[in-house]
C-alpha cells in the first residue's frame, strides 16, 4: 500500500509535467510531493519499512503518508500485539519522517529526469 501511494504520486506528477509541457495545463496543480512508508515496533524495537516477516510479528504497525514538507496526510497505527505509548509513537513518527525524506529526494531525482 505504501509503495502504491509513493509510486502513484510519481506517475501523476510525470503525467502532469507532460500536460504542462504540451500546453494542456498552464501550470501544475500539484502543491507538494506525497510519499508513504511503514513503521512499526518489533520485539520492542522501532523499525522502518517493515518487510512481511517483520510486519507479521510486529507489536505495533503503522502506515504514514506525508507531504514533501512533512505535513501529515495519514497516520494509521494499530496495536497488533501490544499497545504503545507517546514515546514509541514519537519514535515511529521520527523514523517515518527520515524515510519519507529519502523517498521524496528520490522522487525529485526521478521527476527531474522525466
Amino acid at each position: 500500500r505504501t509503495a502504491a501511494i509513493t509510486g502513484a504520486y510519481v506517475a501523476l506528477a510525470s503525467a502532469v509535467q507532460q500536460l504542462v509541457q504540451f500546453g494542456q495545463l498552464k501550470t501544475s496543480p500539484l502543491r507538494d510531493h506525497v510519499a508513504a512508508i511503514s513503521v512499526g515496533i518489533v520485539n520492542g524495537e522501532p523499525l522502518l519499512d517493515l518487510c512481511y516477516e517483520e510486519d507479521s510479528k510486529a507489536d505495533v504497525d503503522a502506515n504514514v503518508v506525508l507531504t514533501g514538507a512533512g505535513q501529515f496526510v495519514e497516520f494509521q497505527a494499530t496495536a497488533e500485539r501490544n499497545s504503545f505509548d507517546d514515546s514509541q509513537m514519537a519514535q515511529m513518527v521520527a523514523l517515518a519522517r527520515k524515510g519519507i525524506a529519502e523517498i521524496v529526494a528520490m522522487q525529485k531525482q526521478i521527476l527531474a529526469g522525466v
Side-chain angles (χ1 to χ4, degrees):
R1 176 175 162 217
T2 58
I5 291 167
T6 300
Y9 173 79
V10 172
L12 174 63
S14 177
V16 167
Q17 281 180 350
Q18 293 228 333
L19 289 170
V20 170
Q21 180 182 353
F22 296 134
Q24 299 298 309
L25 291 174
K26 290 181 183 180
T27 61
S28 172
L30 300 178
R31 294 182 280 176
D32 201 351
H33 288 256
V34 174
I37 200 159
S38 65
V39 292
I41 300 172
V42 180
N43 298 323
E45 290 293 319
L47 298 177
L48 180 64
D49 197 18
L50 280 66
C51 67
Y52 174 78
E53 182 181 325
E54 293 163 338
D55 186 72
S56 67
K57 64 181 182 180
D59 295 324
V60 178
D61 69 4
N63 294 315
V64 183
V65 185
L66 298 174
T67 65
Q71 296 291 304
F72 284 96
V73 175
E74 178 181 20
F75 183 94
Q76 180 273 321
T78 304
E80 299 287 350
R81 290 182 168 63
N82 294 309
S83 57
F84 57 101
D85 61 25
D86 290 345
S87 173
Q88 291 168 310
M89 187 161 81
Q91 289 175 319
M92 289 188 291
V93 169
L95 277 175
R97 286 189 184 285
K98 179 181 181 292
I100 288 177
E102 292 174 17
I103 292 169
V104 168
M106 286 186 264
Q107 286 177 328
K108 288 178 179 179
Q109 283 181 324
I110 291 165
L111 291 168
V114 172

